[in-house]
Amino acid sequence: MAAGRFKLRRAVILTYLLGVHLIAGYYLINEARDILTWPSVPTVNDPTTASPVPTPIPVPSVVADLSTPDINDNGVLSLTVPVAGVKVEQLVDSYTDSRGEGRSHDAIDIAAPEGTPVLAAADGVIARFFDSVPGGITIYQFTSDRRHMLYYAHLQKRADGLQPGDQVSRGQTIGFVGDTGNAGEGNFHLHFSVMVVTDPARYWEGENLNPFPLFRRSSP
């Protein structure tokens, strides 16, 4: 009798567990079916063709050259040849050439046809205009740091509208090649010198520097 009751109880328990598993399986199957039948969500894909990227306008070599600081990495003044169209390789170092009365040249002469534009050799400020018998029509220009004075002489004329106190940029036309002063008639050239300024109030005085090694090899 006891054995019969035990078998009945076991059968009930097994039936109950089987029912639980069947119900759980039913829900699991339905859930899986729902997941598989969810509507697909559109995804963002990379464009099939690449969008063109605007190409920067190439910087002309002369402009790239003008963007270089006036003082190079070695702390030395860096200049652009101050006559349009003249390359560094065409220059002649006449800095130590003798002049009358035992004087040395302390400058270089850059030959060019009459009226060739004379360019600012560096960024800076026009200090003064001065006309004299030796130099003819001239321009004095401070560099931007006011540590150097650039001197342009024997000009045919200065650029229209240029005035003392004007800011000028490297490569800007400030005058034109001539033969005024004691250059000699028809001897068209720019007399160009550089001085280290010791007293800005006496801009015409200072320590002369040879401009020749200061011109960068990339100058136009």
Side-chain angles (χ1 to χ4, degrees):
M1 190 71 180
R5 286 197 298 269
F6 173 77
K7 290 181 179 179
L8 179 61
R9 186 180 303 136
R10 185 175 64 177
V12 170
I13 292 172
L14 290 174
T15 302
Y16 173 79
L17 292 175
L18 179 60
V20 169
H21 283 290
L22 288 174
I23 294 171
Y26 173 81
Y27 281 109
L28 287 174
I29 291 171
N30 283 335
E31 185 176 354
R33 183 185 59 196
D34 290 341
I35 291 174
L36 292 174
T37 58
W38 280 348
S40 61
V41 178
T43 58
V44 178
N45 296 319
D46 291 335
T48 55
T49 57
S51 300
V53 177
T55 302
I57 298 174
V59 179
S61 59
V62 63
V63 176
D65 178 62
L66 301 185
S67 67
T68 306
D70 291 340
I71 304 298
N72 65 22
D73 292 339
N74 297 320
V76 177
L77 181 66
S78 182
L79 302 174
T80 293
V81 175
V83 177
V86 176
K87 299 181 181 299
V88 175
E89 294 75 16
Q90 297 172 281
L91 299 178
V92 176
D93 187 357
S94 58
Y95 182 76
T96 58
D97 287 1
S98 61
R99 291 296 185 262
E101 302 174 355
R103 295 179 297 109
S104 65
H105 193 200
D106 293 337
I108 67 169
D109 289 338
I110 305 174
E114 182 181 20
T116 301
V118 170
L119 314 176
D123 294 345
V125 179
I126 301 300
R128 186 179 177 186
F129 295 157
F130 189 69
D131 299 340
S132 67
V133 172
I137 299 172
T138 72
I139 296 174
Y140 288 84
Q141 178 206 334
F142 282 115
T143 54
S144 54
D145 59 5
R146 301 254 176 173
R147 292 174 52 194
H148 299 88
M149 179 64 68
L150 311 181
Y151 176 65
Y152 311 80
H154 304 318
L155 302 176
Q156 177 196 61
K157 58 175 290 188
R158 304 178 187 99
D160 293 341
L162 190 70
Q163 295 295 329
D166 286 354
Q167 297 276 345
V168 293
S169 300
R170 178 191 296 271
Q172 178 180 336
T173 298
I174 58 174
F176 301 89
V177 171
D179 61 352
T180 58
N182 63 5
E185 185 176 355
N187 183 22
F188 302 113
H189 69 277
L190 174 70
H191 172 101
F192 180 74
S193 66
V194 179
M195 290 185 294
V196 177
V197 176
T198 53
D199 181 359
R202 299 180 64 81
Y203 58 87
W204 60 93
E205 296 179 346
E207 178 187 351
N208 289 304
L209 290 180
N210 184 355
F212 186 78
L214 303 181
F215 293 115
R216 32 177 113 118
R217 294 294 143 184
S218 59
S219 296

